[in-house]
Amino acid sequence: MSTEVTLPAPTSASPTARQVWTRARGVVLGVALLLVGAVTIAVINSGTRRGGLDPRSADPHGSRAVAALLADRGVSTRVVTTLAEASTAAGADTTLLIAAPDLLTDRQQEQLHTATENSGGRTVLVAPSSPSVGTLAPGVTADPALSFHSKLSPDCDLPAAQRAGTADTGGFRYDTTATDADACYPSDGLPTLVRVPAVTGNGDTVVLGAPDILYNDRLDEHGNASLALQLLGSRPHLVWYLPSLSDGSRTDSGERGFFDLLPSGWLWGTLQLFFAAVLAAFWRARRFGPLVPERLPVAIRASETVEGRARLYRKTHARDRAAGALRSTTRTRLAPLVGVPVPQAHTPEVLLPALSAHLHDHGDGQSLHSLLFGPPPGDDAALISLADQLDALEREVRRP
């Protein structure tokens, strides 16, 4: 007699829109608060703050203190934001400070070098990287590795460095092929301050590896103030060039590509973020190795386990796996009843002859083979029929 089994309809496990919002509202609220805070701070400070290395700014990274000290020494400071103003201001009685050389395009750098190389004045480049330093100070190259030391000793014959002593010049490191250049404040064998005399005249170019000696909050440390005043106060006039993105001369960018416009150090920053992401993935991932068994906090009824697995099989239409589980379990239970070791219960050549000998009146071996080792059923009805036949076979074998 066969028994009809009806499996329950599958239940959707996908979260509803309300559940998704409940889980994500904390993150959304946090992001919204951060955006509101950022906008508020930007609005409050928009009218009072200026950029870094600005001689008009009293912020910690501004340079108003340097300009004030230079004014006391009789040196005038004028801020310019365009290439035309900077090129015109270059002269024998002027020190031209370029606050952000890397913001200049290739064409701007070439024009600026042409205007300053024979002017007889001093040009100060603040933390230029490659290839900017090679264009503005020919013969000087930037090393890819930065200096990890901030306070350094002069270790050179430049009078300004000797009088200033130790200073915070650590940053970019440079190398130069000029034989008459002054290489000062070395870090691991390479200088962080280089002075290259002009080929003709009394002018020179000073390459400074870090802007720290010009910051308001670092000026009173070590010999920073002395070095800054001597480098910027050798001429009666100081022109402070702050490159601007609105400068019309930027429209002709020459051969400068997208990656050249990215800030210096972006590659190292990207690599650091990559390794941090890998470490975070390992930290958050499951531990390696086999799972650790643990005692369940509650006992689960066998009928609930069977029903849950049946739902999963039905949801994925896994009739082959369901039939395989039924046949495997039946073979395992039948083997000891007919005198076959359990390890050989799944070998047809061993199980079927013993089972046929035990069942004298039960069909031939071919029907047993199809029942216990046959192909998976084609539909749900065939699967239910297979379960009934396996159950009937086991009852017959167990019959005394």
Side-chain angles (χ1 to χ4, degrees), residues 48-250:
T48 59
R49 296 180 62 89
R50 296 182 184 271
L53 285 181
D54 192 326
R56 300 163 297 184
S57 172
D59 295 334
H61 283 182
S63 301
R64 185 174 179 178
V66 175
L69 293 176
L70 289 172
D72 293 340
R73 296 163 62 99
V75 178
S76 64
T77 301
R78 180 165 65 97
V79 178
V80 298
T81 58
T82 64
L83 177 65
E85 293 174 316
S87 301
T88 304
D93 60 348
T94 301
T95 298
L96 175 62
L97 182 142
I98 306 175
D102 291 345
L103 292 181
L104 300 175
T105 64
D106 293 342
R107 188 62 55 84
Q108 286 179 312
Q109 293 172 5
E110 293 172 358
Q111 295 178 0
L112 191 58
H113 175 65
T114 301
T116 59
E117 62 177 340
N118 296 319
S119 65
R122 167 170 288 181
T123 303
V124 178
L125 307 176
V126 181
S129 63
S130 179
S132 301
V133 66
T135 303
L136 295 170
V140 180
T141 56
D143 190 80
L146 300 178
S147 170
F148 292 100
H149 306 286
S150 178
K151 185 180 71 172
L152 299 172
S153 301
D155 198 16
C156 67
D157 296 330
L158 183 65
Q162 289 290 334
R163 288 190 290 266
T166 58
D168 293 320
T169 59
F172 283 104
R173 305 187 309 157
Y174 302 100
D175 193 8
T176 178
T177 57
T179 56
D180 55 348
D182 293 303
C184 303
Y185 297 97
S187 174
D188 297 329
L190 291 178
T192 58
L193 187 151
V194 178
R195 189 192 75 90
V196 182
V199 178
T200 59
N202 297 322
D204 59 9
T205 299
V206 176
V207 181
L208 187 60
D212 297 40
I213 65 171
L214 305 176
Y215 288 153
N216 292 329
D217 62 345
R218 304 291 292 275
L219 194 63
D220 60 344
E221 299 179 5
H222 315 302
N224 294 348
S226 175
L227 183 60
L229 293 178
Q230 292 181 81
L231 294 179
L232 304 183
S234 62
R235 271 76 172 172
H237 303 291
L238 171 63
V239 175
W240 202 293
Y241 180 24
L242 297 173
S244 172
L245 296 178
S246 60
D247 188 356
S249 62
R250 292 184 57 86

Side-chain angles (χ1 to χ4, degrees), residues 164-349:
T166 58
D168 293 320
T169 59
F172 283 104
R173 305 187 309 157
Y174 302 100
D175 193 8
T176 178
T177 57
T179 56
D180 55 348
D182 293 303
C184 303
Y185 297 97
S187 174
D188 297 329
L190 291 178
T192 58
L193 187 151
V194 178
R195 189 192 75 90
V196 182
V199 178
T200 59
N202 297 322
D204 59 9
T205 299
V206 176
V207 181
L208 187 60
D212 297 40
I213 65 171
L214 305 176
Y215 288 153
N216 292 329
D217 62 345
R218 304 291 292 275
L219 194 63
D220 60 344
E221 299 179 5
H222 315 302
N224 294 348
S226 175
L227 183 60
L229 293 178
Q230 292 181 81
L231 294 179
L232 304 183
S234 62
R235 271 76 172 172
H237 303 291
L238 171 63
V239 175
W240 202 293
Y241 180 24
L242 297 173
S244 172
L245 296 178
S246 60
D247 188 356
S249 62
R250 292 184 57 86
T251 55
D252 187 3
S253 59
E255 300 297 327
R256 202 173 184 87
F258 171 75
F259 291 102
D260 297 325
L261 299 176
L262 295 176
S264 60
W266 68 271
L267 178 59
W268 294 108
T270 304
L271 289 177
Q272 290 176 3
L273 290 176
F274 171 76
F275 285 117
V278 171
L279 292 176
F282 275 103
W283 172 61
R284 295 293 296 175
R286 290 184 176 180
R287 71 173 189 87
F288 298 105
L291 297 176
V292 178
E294 59 179 339
R295 297 179 61 87
L296 295 176
V298 296
I300 301 177
R301 298 175 58 185
S303 59
E304 296 180 1
T305 303
V306 173
E307 183 179 356
R309 180 169 295 186
R311 289 181 178 179
L312 292 176
Y313 284 154
R314 181 171 182 175
K315 184 176 182 179
T316 58
H317 304 286
R319 286 185 292 269
D320 54 343
R321 296 182 63 87
L326 292 173
R327 283 168 169 160
S328 176
T329 303
T330 302
R331 293 194 300 264
T332 302
R333 290 200 296 257
L334 290 177
L337 299 177
V338 296
V340 174
V342 174
Q344 298 182 355
H346 308 292
T347 304
E349 294 78 5

